[in-house]
């Protein structure tokens, strides 16, 4: 009974908000949710939930398999199916000083989407090197933000930031990318 009441409270919180992006999940008829612990990185703890039974199983799984302290806060969002055209999942590496961000690489992505990625970075006050994950509407350039990672993985040559740098025009080698990121961090630190 408690799980059902919680499920209905969460689902109904999305009803009538009118805040969904065009083509996104219909917030007036939410039937599937995605849950993510606020303090976890990448996709740890992310799960698609179809009903109150899955919500209860998720809570039981956390209690059974995760060592305390448990995450104290979770984000619930309507499920968005990006497998349908014209939507695709995309990452943008943003680099630059506050108010002067640039998208690194991504020559095949619509210029409107790149400009929107920069605008998201500016709105969030991003500076240095960051990676924005989003769903992109390939017809309009519209973005639905998944997350902004202001401490992107730069430990692997296969990481998103390095891949985008290699595909930039002209290409940016790993040493130059790291030097730029460090320089921006030092400027920010001693500002």
């Amino acid at each position: 009974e408690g799980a059902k009441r919680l499920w209905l409270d969460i689902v109904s919180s999305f009803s009538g908000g009118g805040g969904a992006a065009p083509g996104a999940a219909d917030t007036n008829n939410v039937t599937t949710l995605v849950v993510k612990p606020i303090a976890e990185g990448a996709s740890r703890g992310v799960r698609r939930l179809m009903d109150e039974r899955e919500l209860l199983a998720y809570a039981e799984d956390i209690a059974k398999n995760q060592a305390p302290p448990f995450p104290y806060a979770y984000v619930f969002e309507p499920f968005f199916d990006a497998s349908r055209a014209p939507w695709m999942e995309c990452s943008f590496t943003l680099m630059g000083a506050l108010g002067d961000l640039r998208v690194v690489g991504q020559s095949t992505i619509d210029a409107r989407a790149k400009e929107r990625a920069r605008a998201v970075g500016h709105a969030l006050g991003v500076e240095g090197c960051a990676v924005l994950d989003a769903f992109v509407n390939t017809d309009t350039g519209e973005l639905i933000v998944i997350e902004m990672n202001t401490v992107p993985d730069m430990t692997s040559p296969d990481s998103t930031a390095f891949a985008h740098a290699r595909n930039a025009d002209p290409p940016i080698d790993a040493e130059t990318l790291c030097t730029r990121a460090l320089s921006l961090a030092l400027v920010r630190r001693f500002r």
Side-chain angles (χ1 to χ4, degrees):
E1 182 63 35
K4 183 166 185 75
R5 191 170 40 252
L6 179 58
W7 175 261
L8 292 173
D9 285 348
I10 295 168
V11 169
S12 67
S13 72
F14 294 106
S15 296
D26 177 3
T27 58
N28 292 316
N29 191 23
V30 173
T31 58
T32 306
L33 297 173
V34 175
V35 61
K36 177 187 187 300
I38 271 183
E40 292 291 342
S43 59
R44 281 190 302 267
V46 174
R47 192 170 305 166
R48 181 177 175 183
L49 305 174
M50 304 293 279
D51 57 31
E52 69 274 5
R53 290 183 314 275
E54 291 187 7
L55 175 62
L56 183 58
Y58 180 76
E60 289 170 346
D61 186 49
I62 290 170
K64 178 180 166 188
N65 296 314
Q66 186 169 343
F70 303 118
Y72 62 91
Y74 297 83
V75 174
F76 289 88
E77 297 177 345
F79 175 75
F80 175 74
D81 183 2
S83 67
R84 299 182 321 247
W87 294 95
M88 64 179 263
E89 189 171 346
C90 186
S91 295
F92 299 86
T93 297
L94 302 172
M95 183 168 261
L98 190 61
D100 189 31
L101 290 174
R102 301 186 192 286
V103 175
V104 176
Q106 292 294 42
S107 60
T108 61
I109 299 297
D110 183 288
R112 296 170 296 181
K114 287 187 207 180
E115 184 53 39
R116 287 183 172 123
R118 288 182 60 229
V120 168
H122 291 304
L124 294 175
V126 170
E127 57 185 324
C129 183
V131 173
L132 170 69
D133 295 326
F135 296 118
V136 177
N137 183 311
T138 57
D139 291 341
T140 65
E142 176 185 2
L143 297 183
I144 297 176
V145 174
I146 299 169
E147 71 175 351
M148 175 71 78
N149 187 348
T150 58
V151 186
D153 174 19
M154 295 184 76
T155 62
S156 165
D158 296 326
S159 73
T160 301
F162 287 131
H164 289 164
R166 280 191 303 274
N167 293 320
D169 184 22
I172 303 168
D173 61 62
E175 183 178 346
T176 302
L177 182 71
C178 289
T179 301
R180 287 183 188 170
L182 182 58
S183 174
L184 289 163
L186 289 171
V187 167
R188 181 176 65 239
R189 169 69 174 95
F190 293 107
R191 185 172 335 137

